[in-house]
Amino acid sequence: MWRPTWFIGRELNPRIGSFDIKTFNELRPGLILWVILNMSCVCWQYTNFGYVSDSMWLVLLFHLWYVVDSLLHEETIFSQMDITTDGFGFMLSVGDLAWVPFTYSLQARYLAFHPVHLGALGILAILAVQFVGFYIFRTANVEKNDFRQGRNPKNLQFMTTSTGRKLITSGWWGRSRHPNYLGDWIMAWAWCLTCGFESPIPYFYVVYFATLLVHRQLRDDDACKKKYGKEYVSLLNELTTPPPGVTAGRFM
């Protein structure tokens, strides 16, 4: 898949001395700014309406939860495509420092001007969506990261490919090529649902995120075919049209 150098980046890990610019910018500045922008939206809503709606508190909770979880598991980025493959070009520099904080805070910004009252049932329903998404996202990533570190506490089944790599064939990765992407997208729905249905604007995020994940999946699959060889292609085919009672999977 061709991408211009200015977009994807020429240098993999630009440094100033021992300071890795790309690794630093991958999470901390953008995610922290995202939370700060959310908090400013909370203040705006309170200043102009005299209260903070339950939907705003829920968005703040979800986003803060996501950011804290990402920072607590920051070491996992070292095995992600952004770090291992992509250079520090327009995509990552603008994406990390501008697109993430100003786009991912869209729900909070919308609610700052258009408060939505969810009520107890609405809150519980959206919390359920969030918990399901987070459970899939985090447990799938834990399986993957443990396996990459040479640990296998769940005794996941795997196969050794012709390239000498190990490929998980059970657990979450035996059910889906990208279970972590699925969990991430389900959480995106929870965030958008806090804004109700009066405007499509807050749902831009879930549409954009689906596009991002599909594009990332295509890039990921292309890289994995080269990394794992013909066995990976076979597993993809099995997942696409799985026969009854048979599971297969992949290791990112």
Side-chain angles (χ1 to χ4, degrees):
M1 185 180 295
W2 179 83
R3 297 176 299 278
T5 302
W6 65 267
F7 182 78
I8 202 65
R10 182 181 298 276
E11 189 169 351
L12 184 62
N13 290 96
R15 297 174 182 271
I16 300 176
S18 60
F19 180 72
D20 190 316
I21 300 173
K22 184 178 74 172
T23 300
F24 173 77
N25 282 285
E26 179 70 11
L27 288 182
R28 298 184 188 184
L31 295 192
I32 293 172
L33 178 57
W34 174 13
V35 172
I36 292 173
L37 289 173
N38 277 3
M39 290 179 175
S40 70
C41 290
V42 172
C43 294
W44 175 272
Q45 188 186 79
Y46 181 79
T47 300
N48 287 274
F49 294 94
Y51 63 87
V52 178
S53 65
D54 52 8
S55 55
M56 179 67 88
W57 284 122
L58 210 54
V59 165
L60 186 63
L61 170 66
F62 289 166
H63 290 180
L64 184 61
W65 178 357
Y66 190 88
V67 168
V68 170
D69 179 72
S70 297
L71 295 177
L72 288 176
H73 295 88
E74 188 176 16
E75 73 279 359
T76 62
I77 68 172
F78 292 109
S79 60
Q80 294 177 2
M81 182 177 289
D82 290 352
I83 299 298
T84 62
T85 305
D86 297 335
F88 191 60
F90 180 88
M91 182 181 74
L92 288 183
S93 59
V94 175
D96 292 342
L97 300 176
W99 181 263
V100 166
F102 288 97
T103 302
Y104 286 31
S105 59
L106 177 62
Q107 291 79 35
R109 180 170 175 80
Y110 175 82
L111 291 172
F113 293 91
H114 307 280
V116 173
H117 301 281
L118 299 171
L121 290 179
I123 292 173
L124 289 175
I126 295 173
L127 278 172
V129 176
Q130 170 72 12
F131 278 121
V132 169
F134 181 78
Y135 176 77
I136 297 173
F137 173 76
R138 179 47 55 205
T139 54
N141 276 326
V142 167
E143 286 184 359
K144 177 186 69 173
N145 293 322
D146 280 346
F147 197 78
R148 280 181 167 170
Q149 297 298 322
R151 302 187 298 268
N152 191 7
K154 292 186 177 181
N155 293 317
L156 297 174
Q157 298 177 10
F158 63 91
M159 64 182 296
T160 302
T161 68
S162 56
T163 62
R165 303 277 187 170
K166 293 180 179 179
L167 195 62
I168 298 178
T169 57
S170 66
W172 280 113
W173 303 93
R175 301 183 181 96
S176 169
R177 289 177 295 172
H178 304 276
N180 53 342
Y181 294 176
L182 173 63
D184 219 350
W185 195 56
I186 292 174
M187 284 192 287
W189 274 104
W191 303 354
C192 294
L193 287 171
T194 60
C195 298
F197 303 100
E198 291 188 2
S199 172
I201 292 176
Y203 291 86
F204 164 79
Y205 174 72
V206 79
V207 175
Y208 146 75
F209 202 46
T211 305
L212 171 72
L213 293 177
V214 169
H215 177 258
R216 193 175 183 88
Q217 172 188 330
L218 294 174
R219 293 180 58 210
D220 197 25
D221 285 344
D222 184 59
C224 286
K225 288 174 184 176
K226 298 175 182 177
K227 183 176 181 179
Y228 298 108
K230 60 184 180 181
E231 290 85 358
Y232 181 78
V233 177
S234 298
L235 290 176
L236 288 185
N237 292 335
E238 288 185 27
L239 276 176
T240 304
T241 54
V246 175
T247 59
R250 64 184 290 280
F251 172 51
M252 291 176 55

